[in-house]
């Protein structure tokens, strides 16, 4: 297992993400404790020492089951991370009660790593709310030794990420970021990564294979990969891309079975950096997967929009939604006033006339609105979670 120094400790470069644990009969809230124990045993025996969970994973059961499994080992033999659920927009969120409950569920006296969960356009007001005082409370816990290192995860835009860092300069020890060779451009993850490097913040990677999409490619891409690396899996390419980035501290993988874990351990037990022709192949795959609109963000369209819509931003989100819809897209849209969402477009066509690339913007915004109508809003998802937690 490869390791990388963080502060004064050594952390395995492969981390065990506990968001997609093995479950019983497809029930996401009934984790198969026996299978999880087997996976934790393999992880520990092979040198994985970073485990990541969160308040809401598996309907709140991830912390319970992972904590139970890890309690079979000496507390100093692993590093445990969890997260404050401010992104769930619960008006009754009590940071103190939530944090203490998480310690109890995990069966620990402290968290090695603790994060604000998903700082984004919709949740930034929660995390900066002086009345809630979430950051101040967590800094107090850090002073008391109940948190060793404080950070945050994010799906925010580059601008929101930079703004949040400016609000809390020199506050956080690390940042967890969705990063992979597809989102390097699709979600501007490359720019976010560079920003974090400039701020001297180590990156913990989430979604390295984008929920499995980069581990299950079309056969034509698989053949090209196998021709170059016959003994390696498709998923290993995504991990090796990330291993080449100096600012990456840990790569989290939401492993669901022993086979996935064994394959990932193999990848993180050997240094075989991608060559130029292999990186070129990944770039080609990313460009074909994204099928990105030729928007250059010149903003000519916005100058003639009577509603002053941020069209380039909406088109970027639309492009991502066409590839694979994620709740982060809905959160970004929900954070906008209703008169700035795709549904606000009146189809006047001024933007289309102004676009140097000839993009039929009104038609695409209408299509985007139809996609969004088929999805639950983040507020609806959070309300359902609260009702379930209350047994309603």
């Amino acid at each position: 297992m490869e390791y990388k120094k963080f502060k004064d400790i050594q952390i395995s470069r492969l981390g065990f993400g506990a968001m997609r644990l093995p479950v019983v009969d497809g029930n996401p809230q009934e984790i198969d404790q026996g299978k999880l124990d087997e996976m934790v045993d393999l992880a520990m025996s092979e040198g994985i020492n970073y485990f990541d969970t969160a308040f809401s994973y598996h309907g709140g059961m991830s912390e319970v089951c992972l904590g139970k499994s890890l309690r079979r080992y000496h507390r100093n033999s692993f590093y445990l991370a969890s997260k404050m659920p401010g992104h769930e927009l619960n008006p009754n969120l009590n940071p103190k009660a939530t944090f203490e409950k998480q310690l109890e569920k995990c069966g620990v006296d402290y968290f090695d790593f603790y994060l604000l969960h998903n700082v984004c356009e919709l949740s930034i007001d929660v995390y900066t709310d002086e009345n809630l005082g979430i950051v101040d409370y967590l800094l107090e816990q850090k002073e008391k030794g109940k948190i060793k290192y404080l950070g945050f995860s994010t799906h925010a835009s580059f601008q929101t990420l930079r703004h949040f860092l400016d609000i809390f300069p020199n506050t956080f020890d690390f940042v967890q970021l969705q990063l992979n060779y597809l989102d390097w451009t699709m979600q501007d993850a490359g720019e976010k990564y560079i920003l974090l490097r400039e701020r001297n913040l180590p990156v913990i990677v989430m979604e390295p294979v984008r929920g499995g999409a980069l581990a299950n490619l079309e056969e034509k891409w698989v053949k090209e990969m196998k021709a170059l690396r016959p003994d390696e899996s498709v998923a290993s390419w995504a991990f090796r891309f990330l291993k080449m980035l100096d600012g990456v501290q840990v790569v989290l993988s939401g492993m669901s079975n022993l086979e996935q874990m064994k394959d990932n351990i193999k990848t993180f037990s050997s240094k075989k950096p991608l060559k130029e022709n292999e990186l070129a192949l990944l770039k080609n795959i990313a460009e074909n997967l994204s099928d990105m609109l030729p928007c250059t963000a010149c903003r000519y369209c916005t100058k003639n929009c009577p509603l002053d819509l941020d069209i380039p931003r909406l088109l970027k989100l639309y492009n991502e939604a066409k590839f694979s819809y994620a709740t982060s897209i809905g959160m970004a849209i929900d954070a906008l006033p209703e008169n700035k969402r795709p549904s606000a477009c009146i189809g006047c066509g001024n933007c289309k006339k102004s676009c140097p690339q000839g993009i039929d913007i009104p038609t695409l915004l209408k299509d985007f609105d139809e996609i969004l109508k088929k999805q639950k809003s983040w507020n609806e998802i959070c309300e359902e979670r609260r009702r379930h937690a209350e047994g309603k």
Side-chain angles (χ1 to χ4, degrees), residues 55-118:
F55 181 85
S56 56
Y57 290 173
H58 285 279
M61 291 305 298
S62 176
E63 288 178 323
V64 174
C65 294
L66 181 61
K68 181 179 180 180
S69 191
L70 287 173
R71 283 198 295 277
R72 299 173 301 138
Y73 292 89
H74 194 281
R75 183 64 182 89
N76 293 332
S77 65
F78 61 86
Y79 301 111
L80 180 61
S82 196
K83 310 175 185 74
M84 175 66 65
H87 70 307
E88 294 196 353
L89 313 178
N90 185 347
N92 300 314
L93 177 65
N94 183 319
K96 181 177 186 295
T98 299
F99 182 77
E100 291 181 351
K101 183 64 176 179
Q102 289 178 285
L103 289 173
E104 178 186 339
K105 287 169 67 180
C106 292
V108 295
D109 297 321
Y110 65 91
F111 287 111
D112 302 280
F113 293 78
Y114 196 80
L115 304 83
L116 307 178
H117 200 161
N118 191 10

Side-chain angles (χ1 to χ4, degrees), residues 378-390:
W378 181 246
N379 283 316
E380 290 174 327
I381 293 172
C382 292
E383 180 61 26
E384 286 184 1
R385 288 180 177 178
R386 284 193 287 273
R387 286 180 176 276
H388 181 271
E390 295 168 0

Side-chain angles (χ1 to χ4, degrees), residues 184-326:
W184 187 262
T185 52
M186 181 177 277
Q187 286 198 358
D188 297 323
E191 291 185 22
K192 298 174 193 177
Y193 169 79
I194 292 171
L195 172 65
L196 296 176
R197 290 287 282 159
E198 292 172 347
R199 303 293 178 99
N200 295 313
L201 286 166
V203 174
I204 293 178
V205 172
M206 57 181 166
E207 300 293 352
V209 293
R210 217 175 197 276
L214 302 183
N216 297 280
L217 299 174
E218 292 181 40
E219 187 61 29
K220 63 178 180 179
W221 302 123
V222 174
K223 287 182 179 179
E224 290 197 43
M225 289 175 157
K226 289 296 183 180
L228 294 171
R229 293 184 177 238
D231 298 325
E232 297 198 32
S233 66
V234 173
S236 71
W237 285 67
F239 292 120
R240 293 202 182 282
F241 170 81
L242 295 167
K243 285 169 63 177
M244 295 178 70
L245 302 175
D246 290 339
V248 170
Q249 179 70 48
V250 180
V251 179
L252 294 174
S253 177
M255 298 170 278
S256 302
N257 54 59
L258 287 172
E259 289 69 30
Q260 291 175 356
M261 180 172 283
K262 289 176 181 178
D263 183 58
N264 291 347
I265 289 171
K266 175 184 174 183
T267 301
F268 282 85
S269 297
S270 62
K271 294 182 179 180
K272 298 179 181 179
L274 298 174
K275 300 174 183 177
E276 287 189 16
N277 63 322
E278 294 171 330
L279 288 170
L281 174 57
L282 287 187
K283 182 179 179 181
N284 189 23
I285 292 172
E287 290 174 349
N288 279 270
L289 285 178
S290 60
D291 191 24
M292 296 185 73
L293 297 167
C295 176
T296 61
C298 66
R299 307 196 74 82
Y300 289 162
C301 55
T302 61
K303 295 178 182 178
N304 295 300
C305 177
L307 299 177
D308 194 29
L309 299 179
D310 188 350
I311 296 171
R313 171 68 172 154
L314 294 177
L315 290 182
K316 180 174 282 291
L317 290 169
Y318 169 75
N319 187 69
E320 185 179 352
K322 289 290 286 184
F323 172 73
S324 176
Y325 187 86

Side-chain angles (χ1 to χ4, degrees), residues 113-160:
F113 293 78
Y114 196 80
L115 304 83
L116 307 178
H117 200 161
N118 191 10
V119 173
C120 65
E121 288 74 16
L122 204 58
S123 65
I124 189 171
D125 289 343
V126 175
Y127 290 124
T128 57
D129 187 328
E130 293 183 0
N131 292 322
L132 280 176
I134 292 176
V135 174
D136 287 341
Y137 172 76
L138 295 180
L139 288 173
E140 290 176 7
Q141 303 317 301
K142 187 178 178 183
E143 285 288 325
K144 295 177 180 179
K146 292 188 175 182
I147 295 173
K148 302 300 181 182
Y149 306 106
L150 182 62
F152 64 92
S153 66
T154 182
H155 291 281
S157 67
F158 174 86
Q159 291 78 10
T160 300

